[in-house]
Amino acid sequence: MTTESAPEIIELSDLKKWLWGSANIMRGTVDSSDFKNYIFGLIFIKRLSDVFDERVAAIMTEEQCSSDEAMELILEDNPEQFVPVDARWANLVEKTENVGERIDEAFAEIERQNPSLEKVLTAIQFGDKEKLSNELLMRLLRHFNQHKLGNKNLYKPDLLGDAYEYLIAMFADDAGKKGGEFYTPHEVVELIVKLIDPQPTHEIYDPTNGSGGMLVEAARHIKENYPTNGMVMGKPNCKLYGQEKNLGTWAIAKLNIFLHNLDGDIKRGDTLVNPLHKGGNGLQTFDRVIANPPFSIKEWWEPLELLDGKIIGDNGKERNVKYSTDLKDPFGRFGLGVAPRTKADLAFLQHMIASTKEDGRIGVVVPHGVLFREGDEGKIRKGLLAGKDDLAGDLIEAVVGLPPALFFNTGIAAAVVVLNKKKTVEMKNKVIFIDASEECDDSDKMSRLRDKDIEKITKKYNEAKQAVIDAGEQTAESLSKLLDSVAVDKYLRVVDMSEIEANDFNLNISRYVDTSAVQEVVDIPACLASLSDIEKQLVNVDQNLTDFLSLMPLENNHELK
């Protein structure tokens, strides 16, 4: 009797090397910022085909049927898992002519079979022979043919998604700004997710989801931190939503969500101009909202109201504007004020607030300028803290300053702002400030948050928050003592709104957390005494020199003079 050999188990480290090898095949032919698109497409179709073959074999064993009968069962019961003949890996790898066109046709077949992937795979074009010759594509196919990617070949179900994150990071680093436009380092994502703590059954939304990393990490957080109800039917117990403007990045996010086996609804479009997640007559709202919007983008409202750079007034006449204060948003998102046309940061933040449930939380990366810039941004920031008209304030719960040089696409200093639409009674009118700008590994050209840095930030944040809650309501005097007691020297302070108001609602972290070096105390009397002693010594030296010269022979003395 023969024993079936154990399947090859591919570890994450092996998978990373394998995928990176595919990039080396394309070097010199394809722009490095485009590597990910082609690799993601091929690795997806390889995995889909291998899982299909694995499922066919399992049904043949279970049902004692032929492969054709097994395929019919899959088509009847789970049509989204069915892979058409021309899209199966075994057929693709045998192609020697018009290979790119055959791959494009295979992607189109898969999309027709699975409507949820419509326009995802066909966004990646392999048929351009100027970029991808038959020979290069055949090398790629042979390279990917080295390993199986069925479920039994991976040591954990979402291993491939982890490899995607690795490749996204590597290509962002390799391609510089062009690659980093949509990538947030995983350590920053992990920090924000821990700060807002998504929980089972939550609906989680990223309005600028990029490659989907923040949504994937939120689902992972639920899976790993809530063992009793964090998983349902083999999936993290949450629903993910996102919107992304860039076509290629949107396609990658769809594949990332799909390969992590997550329940997600990722739409494509400009979130500020045309938000696509709607509920009733307004925006759909979510339990947690998380984002790293592009920093300070310009002319963010132009597609809605501008015509050839001018606004058409009610009288039908054109008028030029630097930026308008009378913009009309059909979703009522900008009640605290309209962000400048040259800086969309607070437009994104207000959209996030409008998209959050009344007991929800938000975690967002912002450039430091958002914390202190004046003008229209200062007015919006005041509204976030003190409210405006009938709009509630006191939304900001924490401001965390990040180390410099964390992001691939910018050297701008950044911070994480945590907003809570339902603060506890004890935390009302208080903001936690953390200066974590020194908490990193900066030995390389870029800084990196370490596990211990993330742990320190989240631990100190939670400890300070809990200490205020445990203390209950306080008098003005006892509150001052309490806030002093929970402060961490040169790192964290819980600040009462009265102090923030006295600073004209400026949230610059350095105003609240003093990180200046301790200056050495100068003992003035001791210094004066020392100077006096030195002067006496100089007098003695002069006198000794004069005595010495007087004893020298006259001719030597003359020469010295």
Side-chain angles (χ1 to χ4, degrees):
M1 188 175 87
T2 59
T3 304
E4 185 180 349
S5 60
E8 172 203 18
I9 304 297
I10 184 168
E11 301 286 343
L12 178 60
S13 58
D14 300 322
L15 189 56
K16 287 178 178 179
K17 293 176 183 176
W18 186 38
L19 296 177
W20 193 249
S22 66
N24 288 329
I25 292 174
M26 289 188 286
R27 288 191 192 280
T29 304
V30 178
D31 190 286
S32 56
S33 64
D34 293 328
F35 287 174
K36 61 191 180 301
N37 299 325
Y38 301 114
I39 292 177
F40 288 176
L42 290 177
I43 205 73
F44 176 81
I45 202 168
K46 177 75 164 82
R47 166 115 168 103
L48 196 65
S49 189
D50 285 351
V51 171
F52 176 73
D53 291 343
E54 190 177 72
R55 183 63 180 144
V56 169
I59 292 175
M60 288 173 64
T61 301
E62 294 167 5
E63 302 294 334
Q64 292 295 298
C65 64
S66 68
S67 61
D68 289 342
E69 290 171 328
M71 291 180 195
E72 284 294 328
L73 287 173
I74 293 175
L75 189 56
E76 291 175 8
D77 298 337
N78 298 288
E80 73 281 355
Q81 296 178 8
F82 183 83
V83 179
V85 174
D86 290 337
R88 293 172 196 166
W89 186 262
N91 293 330
L92 284 176
V93 79
E94 297 296 327
K95 303 296 182 185
T96 58
E97 295 182 356
N98 299 319
V99 179
E101 290 89 334
R102 297 292 181 268
I103 295 173
D104 289 340
E105 290 168 4
F107 285 162
E109 285 290 323
I110 292 172
E111 287 189 6
R112 279 193 287 271
Q113 192 66 43
N114 194 331
S116 69
L117 295 177
E118 184 180 0
K119 297 182 180 180
V120 173
L121 296 167
T122 49
I124 309 166
Q125 294 295 318
F126 284 82
D128 185 352
K129 290 184 179 179
E130 294 294 324
K131 280 187 176 182
L132 303 167
S133 66
N134 277 332
E135 291 73 19
L136 185 144
L137 287 173
M138 289 167 64
R139 284 183 64 198
L140 278 175
L141 290 170
R142 288 196 298 270
H143 178 79
F144 281 117
N145 204 41
Q146 295 176 32
H147 301 286
K148 290 284 188 182
L149 292 176
N151 289 327
K152 65 183 180 182
N153 302 109
L154 306 181
Y155 83 93
K156 65 174 185 174
D158 64 349
L159 178 68
L160 200 57
D162 293 343
Y164 265 47
E165 292 178 11
Y166 161 77
L167 283 176
I168 291 167
M170 290 302 99
F171 290 137
D173 193 20
D174 195 45
K177 291 184 178 181
K178 187 174 180 183
E181 285 173 355
F182 59 90
Y183 177 70
T184 306
H186 183 266
E187 296 83 5
V188 177
V189 176
E190 183 181 347
L191 171 64
I192 301 173
V193 168
K194 287 185 174 181
L195 289 173
I196 64 172
D197 188 25
Q199 298 176 24
T201 73
H202 273 180
E203 294 183 315
I204 305 158
Y205 171 59
D206 184 344
T208 56
N209 62 246
S211 57
M214 286 188 164
L215 295 174
V216 170
E217 181 60 30
R220 179 183 294 151
H221 175 87
I222 291 171
K223 173 184 174 182
E224 294 181 354
N225 290 277
Y226 296 92
T228 56
N229 61 341
M231 297 287 287
V232 174
M233 302 292 289
K235 293 184 178 184
N237 186 11
C238 60
K239 181 71 183 289
L240 307 176
Y241 300 81
Q243 185 165 335
E244 172 57 38
K245 183 178 180 180
N246 179 276
L247 174 62
T249 310
W250 166 80
I252 290 170
K254 293 274 284 187
L255 295 180
N256 204 1
I257 297 293
F258 187 92
L259 288 172
H260 273 95
N261 192 32
L262 298 172
D263 186 6
D265 177 12
I266 310 300
K267 298 185 183 298
R268 180 177 171 241
D270 187 326
T271 303
L272 292 181
V273 173
N274 184 26
L276 296 174
H277 291 95
K278 302 170 186 176
N281 295 322
L283 297 175
Q284 184 176 352
T285 56
F286 306 92
D287 300 285
R288 295 290 186 271
V289 179
I290 183 170
N292 178 15
F295 287 174
S296 302
I297 61 173
K298 300 178 180 180
E299 300 172 347
W300 55 273
W301 197 265
E302 277 197 349
L304 277 185
E305 283 200 85
L306 289 188
L307 179 64
D308 297 327
K310 301 177 185 294
I311 283 184
I312 306 301
D314 294 336
N315 59 3
K317 294 183 178 180
E318 294 182 348
R319 58 187 178 90
N320 290 309
V321 291
K322 184 177 181 181
Y323 63 87
S324 178
T325 56
D326 59 355
L327 299 178
K328 300 298 188 295
D329 173 43
F331 301 99
R333 292 172 291 177
F334 308 124
L336 296 177
V338 177
R341 286 186 183 278
T342 55
K343 296 179 181 66
D345 308 298
L346 288 174
F348 279 115
L349 186 56
Q350 289 190 83
H351 169 80
M352 295 172 73
I353 293 169
S355 301
T356 306
K357 293 180 180 178
E358 290 307 309
D359 59 350
R361 298 181 199 168
I362 300 168
V364 57
V365 182
V366 299
H368 263 276
V370 167
L371 305 177
F372 57 79
R373 288 193 295 247
E374 297 180 352
D376 288 334
E377 290 181 294
K379 294 174 184 176
I380 296 171
R381 191 171 56 248
K382 178 180 178 181
L384 293 171
L385 294 162
K388 180 182 177 183
D389 300 330
D390 59 343
L391 297 175
D394 196 18
L395 295 173
I396 297 177
E397 183 167 271
V399 179
V400 181
L402 298 174
L406 274 182
F407 298 89
F408 292 100
N409 59 331
T410 180
I412 297 174
V416 173
V417 177
V418 178
L419 298 95
N420 189 341
K421 293 184 82 171
K422 192 177 181 181
K423 288 184 179 182
T424 63
V425 173
E426 297 82 7
M427 277 300 299
K428 283 187 178 299
N429 293 309
K430 299 174 189 65
V431 178
I432 300 172
F433 288 87
I434 299 176
D435 187 333
S437 58
E438 300 298 324
E439 307 296 317
C440 67
D441 175 7
D442 58 359
S443 58
D444 201 356
K445 61 182 179 180
M446 286 184 59
S447 301
R448 183 179 65 84
L449 288 175
R450 299 159 295 193
D451 289 344
K452 66 177 183 180
D453 303 323
I454 297 171
E455 181 181 358
K456 179 179 178 181
I457 294 169
T458 53
K459 181 181 179 183
K460 296 300 182 184
Y461 163 78
N462 288 322
E463 285 178 350
K465 184 176 175 180
Q466 194 59 49
V468 172
I469 293 172
D470 290 344
E473 295 189 36
Q474 304 282 309
T475 64
E477 182 179 353
S478 61
L479 175 62
S480 177
K481 292 180 180 178
L482 170 65
L483 298 186
D484 286 342
S485 70
V486 301
V488 179
D489 188 41
K490 300 188 180 302
Y491 186 75
L492 177 149
R493 277 189 67 211
V494 182
V495 179
D496 189 73
M497 193 67 72
S498 59
E499 183 177 345
I500 296 173
E501 184 176 2
N503 280 315
D504 199 22
F505 301 99
N506 186 314
L507 295 179
N508 198 349
I509 299 170
S510 61
R511 291 199 175 213
Y512 306 100
V513 180
D514 180 13
T515 58
S516 59
V518 178
Q519 294 184 346
E520 182 180 354
V521 178
V522 179
D523 188 338
I524 301 298
C527 287
L528 292 174
S530 178
L531 287 172
S532 177
D533 185 54
I534 291 171
E535 288 176 354
K536 290 177 182 179
Q537 293 178 37
L538 286 173
V539 170
N540 291 335
V541 169
D542 286 343
Q543 185 60 52
N544 290 337
L545 180 60
T546 300
D547 294 344
F548 175 74
L549 291 175
S550 67
L551 297 175
M552 294 181 66
L554 183 60
E555 59 275 13
N556 290 341
N557 199 348
H558 177 73
E559 290 177 3
L560 286 171
K561 292 180 181 178

Coordinates of all heavy atoms in Angstrom, one line a residue, residues 185 188 295 368 400-415 435-449 453:
P185 N 3.0 52.3 6.6 CA 3.8 51.3 7.3 C 2.9 50.5 8.2 O 2.1 51.1 9.0 CB 4.9 52.0 8.0 CG 5.1 53.3 7.2 CD 3.7 53.6 6.7
V188 N 2.5 51.6 11.9 CA 1.6 52.7 12.2 C 0.1 52.3 12.1 O -0.7 52.7 13.0 CB 1.8 53.9 11.1 CG1 0.8 55.0 11.3 CG2 3.2 54.4 11.2
F295 N -1.9 63.6 2.4 CA -1.6 64.9 3.1 C -1.9 66.1 2.2 O -1.3 66.2 1.1 CB -0.2 64.9 3.6 CG 0.1 64.0 4.8 CD1 1.4 63.9 5.3 CD2 -1.0 63.3 5.4 CE1 1.6 63.0 6.4 CE2 -0.7 62.5 6.5 CZ 0.6 62.3 7.0
H368 N 1.3 67.5 10.9 CA 1.3 68.3 12.2 C 0.6 69.6 12.0 O 0.1 70.2 13.0 CB 2.7 68.5 12.7 CG 3.1 67.5 13.7 ND1 2.9 67.7 15.0 CD2 3.8 66.3 13.6 CE1 3.3 66.6 15.7 NE2 3.9 65.8 14.9
V400 N -1.4 61.9 19.2 CA -0.1 61.2 19.4 C 0.9 61.7 18.4 O 0.7 61.4 17.2 CB -0.3 59.7 19.3 CG1 1.0 58.9 19.5 CG2 -1.4 59.2 20.3
G401 N 1.9 62.3 18.8 CA 3.0 62.7 17.9 C 3.9 61.6 17.5 O 4.4 60.8 18.3
L402 N 4.1 61.3 16.2 CA 4.8 60.2 15.7 C 6.3 60.6 15.4 O 6.6 61.8 15.2 CB 4.2 59.7 14.4 CG 2.8 59.1 14.6 CD1 2.2 58.7 13.2 CD2 2.7 57.9 15.5
P403 N 7.2 59.7 15.3 CA 8.6 60.0 14.9 C 8.7 60.5 13.5 O 7.8 60.2 12.7 CB 9.3 58.6 15.1 CG 8.4 57.8 15.9 CD 7.0 58.2 15.7
P404 N 9.7 61.3 13.2 CA 9.8 61.7 11.8 C 10.3 60.6 10.9 O 10.8 59.5 11.4 CB 10.9 62.8 11.9 CG 11.7 62.4 13.1 CD 10.7 61.8 14.1
A405 N 10.2 60.7 9.6 CA 10.6 59.8 8.6 C 10.0 58.4 8.7 O 10.7 57.4 8.5 CB 12.2 59.7 8.6
L406 N 8.8 58.3 9.1 CA 8.1 57.0 9.2 C 7.5 56.6 7.8 O 7.3 55.4 7.6 CB 6.9 57.1 10.2 CG 7.2 56.9 11.7 CD1 6.0 56.9 12.5 CD2 7.9 55.5 11.9
F407 N 7.1 57.6 7.0 CA 6.3 57.3 5.8 C 7.2 57.3 4.6 O 8.1 58.1 4.4 CB 5.2 58.3 5.7 CG 4.2 58.2 6.8 CD1 4.4 59.0 7.9 CD2 3.1 57.3 6.8 CE1 3.5 58.9 9.0 CE2 2.2 57.3 7.8 CZ 2.4 58.0 8.9
F408 N 6.9 56.4 3.6 CA 7.6 56.4 2.4 C 7.5 57.6 1.5 O 8.3 57.9 0.7 CB 7.2 55.1 1.6 CG 7.6 53.8 2.3 CD1 6.7 53.1 3.0 CD2 8.9 53.4 2.1 CE1 7.1 51.9 3.6 CE2 9.3 52.2 2.7 CZ 8.4 51.4 3.5
N409 N 6.3 58.2 1.6 CA 6.0 59.2 0.6 C 6.2 60.7 1.0 O 5.9 61.6 0.3 CB 4.5 59.1 0.1 CG 3.5 59.2 1.2 OD1 3.9 58.9 2.4 ND2 2.3 59.6 1.0
T410 N 6.6 60.9 2.3 CA 6.7 62.3 2.7 C 7.6 62.3 3.9 O 7.7 61.4 4.7 CB 5.3 62.9 3.1 OG1 5.5 64.2 3.5 CG2 4.7 62.1 4.2
G411 N 8.3 63.5 4.0 CA 9.1 63.7 5.2 C 8.4 64.6 6.2 O 8.9 65.0 7.3
I412 N 7.1 64.9 5.9 CA 6.3 65.8 6.8 C 6.0 65.1 8.1 O 5.7 63.9 8.2 CB 4.9 66.1 6.1 CG1 5.2 66.9 4.9 CG2 4.0 66.9 7.1 CD1 3.9 67.1 4.1
A413 N 6.2 65.8 9.2 CA 5.9 65.3 10.5 C 4.4 65.0 10.7 O 3.6 65.7 10.2 CB 6.4 66.2 11.6
A414 N 4.1 63.8 11.3 CA 2.7 63.4 11.3 C 2.3 63.0 12.7 O 3.1 62.8 13.6 CB 2.5 62.2 10.4
A415 N 1.0 63.0 12.9 CA 0.4 62.6 14.3 C -0.8 61.8 14.0 O -1.4 61.8 13.0 CB 0.1 63.9 15.0
D435 N 3.8 62.5 23.3 CA 4.9 62.8 22.4 C 5.7 61.5 22.2 O 6.5 61.2 23.1 CB 5.7 64.0 22.9 CG 6.8 64.4 21.9 OD1 7.2 63.6 21.1 OD2 7.2 65.6 22.0
A436 N 5.4 60.8 21.1 CA 6.2 59.6 20.9 C 7.2 59.8 19.8 O 7.6 58.8 19.1 CB 5.2 58.5 20.5
S437 N 7.6 61.0 19.6 CA 8.5 61.3 18.5 C 9.9 60.7 18.6 O 10.6 60.6 17.6 CB 8.7 62.8 18.3 OG 9.2 63.4 19.5
E438 N 10.3 60.3 19.8 CA 11.6 59.6 20.0 C 11.4 58.1 20.1 O 12.5 57.4 20.3 CB 12.2 60.2 21.2 CG 12.5 61.7 21.2 CD 13.4 62.1 20.1 OE1 14.4 61.3 19.8 OE2 13.2 63.2 19.5
E439 N 10.2 57.6 20.0 CA 10.0 56.2 20.2 C 10.1 55.4 18.9 O 9.1 55.0 18.3 CB 8.6 55.9 20.9 CG 8.3 56.8 22.1 CD 9.3 56.4 23.2 OE1 9.5 55.2 23.5 OE2 9.8 57.3 23.9
C440 N 11.3 55.1 18.5 CA 11.5 54.4 17.2 C 12.9 53.9 17.0 O 13.8 54.2 17.8 CB 11.1 55.4 16.1 SG 12.3 56.7 15.9
D441 N 13.0 53.1 16.0 CA 14.3 52.6 15.6 C 14.7 53.5 14.4 O 14.1 53.4 13.3 CB 14.3 51.1 15.2 CG 15.6 50.7 14.6 OD1 16.6 51.4 14.6 OD2 15.7 49.5 14.1
D442 N 15.7 54.4 14.5 CA 16.1 55.3 13.4 C 17.5 55.0 12.9 O 18.2 55.8 12.4 CB 16.0 56.7 13.9 CG 16.8 57.0 15.1 OD1 17.5 56.1 15.6 OD2 16.9 58.2 15.5
S443 N 17.9 53.7 13.0 CA 19.2 53.3 12.6 C 19.3 53.3 11.1 O 20.5 53.3 10.6 CB 19.6 51.9 13.2 OG 18.6 51.0 12.8
D444 N 18.2 53.1 10.4 CA 18.2 53.1 8.9 C 17.9 54.5 8.4 O 17.6 55.4 9.1 CB 17.3 52.0 8.4 CG 17.6 51.5 7.0 OD1 18.5 52.1 6.4 OD2 16.9 50.6 6.6
K445 N 17.7 54.6 7.1 CA 17.3 55.8 6.5 C 15.9 56.3 6.8 O 15.5 57.4 6.7 CB 17.5 55.8 4.9 CG 16.6 54.7 4.3 CD 16.8 54.7 2.8 CE 15.9 53.6 2.1 NZ 16.1 53.6 0.6
M446 N 15.1 55.3 7.2 CA 13.7 55.6 7.7 C 13.5 55.1 9.1 O 14.2 54.2 9.5 CB 12.7 54.9 6.8 CG 12.5 55.5 5.4 SD 11.2 54.7 4.5 CE 9.9 55.0 5.6
S447 N 12.7 55.8 9.8 CA 12.4 55.4 11.2 C 11.3 54.3 11.1 O 10.6 54.1 10.2 CB 11.8 56.6 12.0 OG 12.7 57.7 12.0
R448 N 11.3 53.5 12.2 CA 10.3 52.4 12.3 C 9.9 52.2 13.7 O 10.7 52.2 14.7 CB 11.0 51.1 11.8 CG 10.0 49.9 11.8 CD 10.8 48.7 11.3 NE 11.8 48.3 12.2 CZ 11.6 47.5 13.3 NH1 10.4 47.1 13.6 NH2 12.6 47.2 14.0
L449 N 8.6 52.2 13.9 CA 8.0 51.9 15.3 C 8.3 50.4 15.6 O 8.0 49.6 14.8 CB 6.5 52.2 15.3 CG 6.0 53.6 15.3 CD1 4.5 53.7 15.2 CD2 6.5 54.4 16.5
D453 N 7.6 50.1 21.2 CA 7.1 51.5 21.1 C 5.6 51.5 21.0 O 4.9 52.3 21.6 CB 7.7 52.2 19.8 CG 9.2 52.2 19.8 OD1 9.8 52.3 20.9 OD2 9.8 52.0 18.7

